[in-house]
Amino acid sequence: MTHASNTPSVPNAKTRVLHRSSVVTPPRAVRGEGIYIFDESGKSYLDACGGAAVSCLGHSDADVRAAMHAQIDQIAYAHSGFFSSDAMEELADDLIAHAPDGMDKVYFVSGGSEATEAALKMARQYYLEIGQPDRKYVIARRQSYHGNTLGALSVGGNMWRRQQFEPLLITATHIAPVYQYRDQRAGESEAEYGLRVANELETAILELGAQNVAAFVAEPVVGATSGALAPVSGYFKRVREICDQYGVLLILDEVMCGMGRTGTLHAIEQEGISGDLQTIAKGLGAGYQPIGAVLVSKKINDAIANGSGFFQHGHTYQGHATACAAALATQRAIRERDLLSNVVKQGENLVDGLRAKLGQHPFVGDIRGRGLFRGVELVANRETKDPFDPTMKINSKIKKAAFARGLMAYPMGGTIDGVRGDHVLFAPAFIVTEDDVAKIVDLFAAALDDVFAAEGLA
């Protein structure tokens, strides 16, 4: 597993900050320029993961910074219990104008975990509003990740993150992910495989009692926990049919995979359906300010508006004017610069480069993903797909080796079941060039060589 103590660090540095690791302190970032971050020593790091698929415009976008300055000059923040703001209203209008079919309102929060919490509460309240109070259970998928707050952690399928907090979590049911590389059976077509795993949702609903199930939560393309697992064709259409048949809400988590990351503004566009609720964050504001949101379908909004008229939830910083201004500038930049075309183009360059350089590598099992959201799964044996022993901590060693070479990548462990398996996720900024992509591939390949040589596996 990738544990906090394996974060690239400055040993024994004094700090009053409770960092992710209490043992080591990370270097200080002092400047950002395009796709690069510079530390206090002047060393540069090519950010090939956007931190955590966040920095889609890089680290110094002039238009976003100007929009933030202009907003701060007017008013930086006003509590949403008293006021709206031009920035919040304009961003909501913009998001709905480009949202999947059926979306009608936007509920703003400060990040992905908050968005998941809000969506879960909204789903529960929806059923109270329409007179179905027994609906309380949530179904999600194994090897999913929906955030680190207790509600989000409950529906997430990341076993390592859940383990020590298990007594505090609400009950959720987890079904199979779409993990074609490992789970598609011999002789089974892609369509048959997709139908089989989608139908696990129907089985779970019937076991819990359809009248008791509130929602199914899924990432259209699974990110951190599994490394850019994309669905097979037809999977989500069948999921949508099942949800509709049993009156279950479909909550789509696009916190990591959405807002252009996979080559379309919303990842679910490529599946031909819409959700009832959809969470977004990360690429929404490109990291210039913390922001997230829930896209709310007309069905759900109408139930609340025509019922109690009040969503019983709230956060201090929701609809933060400066954050909304940054996000609006980000979304305009993506459209006006036609960056989604570059996501598609450079995403193909990235996967082609990885396959050309590492496609026959003895310890690379799968290269996958969509757009500029790509994953590399590492294996001890390509033929059997056996993973490395988790005690080797291959993923954390790759993170350190890449960081030493000036490359920020996003490795994780527990890819298969929360314990076994290693993968590396790439999510560079939408502004990357062909030369940048080639450099990412070369630095990553060199980091792999460093690690496997040190392990005596070269």
Side-chain angles (χ1 to χ4, degrees):
M1 300 298 299
T2 296
H3 296 275
S5 60
N6 292 316
T7 301
S9 59
V10 179
N12 303 318
K14 292 182 178 179
T15 178
R16 292 293 185 185
V17 177
L18 180 58
H19 286 287
R20 291 178 178 238
S21 167
S22 297
V23 180
V24 293
T25 304
R28 298 188 184 190
V30 298
R31 181 166 64 91
E33 185 176 319
I35 62 170
Y36 287 88
I37 292 179
F38 297 80
D39 69 15
E40 69 268 42
S41 73
K43 181 177 177 179
S44 65
Y45 302 85
L46 196 169
D47 185 357
C49 57
V54 175
S55 302
C56 60
L57 294 183
H59 298 282
S60 56
D61 191 88
D63 290 343
V64 179
R65 289 188 286 120
M68 292 171 62
H69 281 292
Q71 183 62 49
I72 292 169
D73 287 342
Q74 293 176 359
I75 183 169
Y77 163 75
H79 193 279
S80 62
F82 297 92
F83 297 99
S84 185
S85 67
D86 288 344
M88 178 162 47
E89 296 292 344
E90 290 172 18
L91 177 58
D93 287 345
D94 187 272
L95 291 174
I96 293 301
H98 300 93
D101 290 344
M103 294 302 172
D104 188 56
K105 298 284 185 179
V106 184
Y107 185 84
F108 289 110
V109 292
S110 295
S113 295
E114 284 187 12
T116 298
E117 295 286 327
L120 293 173
K121 283 189 174 182
M122 200 173 294
R124 171 60 181 165
Q125 184 170 334
Y126 167 76
Y127 287 111
L128 293 177
E129 301 281 6
I130 66 171
Q132 297 182 26
D134 290 339
R135 290 190 184 265
K136 56 185 177 296
Y137 295 127
V138 177
I139 301 170
R141 300 187 295 185
R142 296 188 294 274
Q143 291 307 96
S144 59
Y145 179 63
H146 302 296
N148 252 337
T149 52
L150 290 176
L153 203 59
S154 297
V155 298
N158 185 308
M159 293 302 108
W160 173 65
R161 294 179 194 260
R162 290 170 54 95
Q163 188 173 14
Q164 65 178 330
F165 303 108
E166 200 76 43
L168 304 178
L169 303 183
I170 61 175
T171 300
T173 298
H174 293 90
I175 63 174
V178 182
Y179 196 170
Q180 190 177 12
Y181 171 64
R182 291 192 175 275
D183 295 343
Q184 185 173 348
R185 296 168 180 167
E188 185 177 45
S189 71
E190 182 178 289
E192 290 169 338
Y193 167 63
L195 188 62
R196 174 168 62 84
V197 290
N199 282 338
E200 285 197 22
L201 174 59
E202 182 174 38
T203 300
I205 290 172
L206 294 175
E207 287 177 350
L208 292 167
Q211 74 282 3
N212 299 320
V213 180
F216 176 56
V217 186
E219 299 167 89
V221 180
V222 181
T225 299
S226 301
L229 283 179
V232 296
S233 179
Y235 170 82
F236 271 104
K237 285 188 177 179
R238 177 58 183 146
V239 163
R240 180 74 268 183
E241 289 173 357
I242 294 168
C243 288
D244 290 342
Q245 180 179 352
Y246 295 102
V248 172
L249 295 181
L250 176 58
I251 301 175
L252 297 173
D253 178 351
E254 294 212 9
V255 167
M256 183 173 263
C257 66
M259 305 316 292
R261 176 57 58 191
T262 64
T264 49
L265 185 62
H266 303 285
I268 201 62
E269 290 178 48
Q270 298 173 46
E271 307 309 315
I273 67 156
S274 298
D276 299 298
L277 295 164
Q278 181 176 318
T279 59
I280 56 176
K282 298 186 185 290
L284 171 60
Y288 287 88
Q289 286 279 276
I291 189 168
V294 182
L295 303 180
V296 183
S297 65
K298 188 175 188 302
K299 174 176 75 174
I300 292 176
N301 177 65
D302 285 352
I304 295 174
N306 297 326
S308 66
F310 172 69
F311 177 37
Q312 192 176 329
H313 187 58
H315 292 284
T316 299
Y317 297 110
Q318 69 184 65
H320 193 287
T322 308
C324 288
L328 182 59
T330 297
Q331 295 311 303
R332 286 173 173 168
I334 290 171
R335 284 197 305 276
E336 291 168 4
R337 301 175 200 171
D338 193 24
L339 291 181
L340 294 186
S341 294
N342 197 55
V343 171
V344 173
K345 178 182 177 181
Q346 301 308 335
E348 290 301 317
N349 286 334
L350 178 56
V351 76
D352 288 347
L354 288 169
R355 286 172 178 161
K357 194 92 171 181
L358 301 171
Q360 300 304 312
H361 192 286
F363 304 123
V364 171
D366 193 28
I367 299 171
R368 55 185 178 242
R370 291 179 180 172
L372 284 174
F373 200 45
R374 301 288 177 171
V376 177
E377 183 167 344
L378 303 164
V379 293
N381 186 307
R382 283 171 57 92
E383 298 303 316
T384 64
K385 302 182 183 179
D386 287 343
F388 287 100
D389 186 327
T391 62
M392 295 176 69
K393 298 182 179 179
I394 291 295
N395 60 87
S396 62
K397 290 173 181 176
I398 289 171
K399 182 177 181 179
K400 284 185 177 181
F403 202 68
R405 285 185 173 271
L407 177 70
M408 292 167 58
Y410 196 133
M412 278 292 293
T415 312
I416 301 169
D417 55 11
V419 177
R420 301 174 303 138
D422 302 90
H423 70 263
V424 180
L425 187 66
F426 293 96
F430 300 174
I431 61 173
V432 290
T433 65
E434 190 170 346
D435 288 343
D436 296 329
V437 167
K439 188 171 184 180
I440 290 169
V441 172
D442 287 345
L443 287 171
F444 177 57
L448 289 186
D449 289 344
D450 292 343
V451 170
F452 292 125
E455 295 293 319
L457 297 172

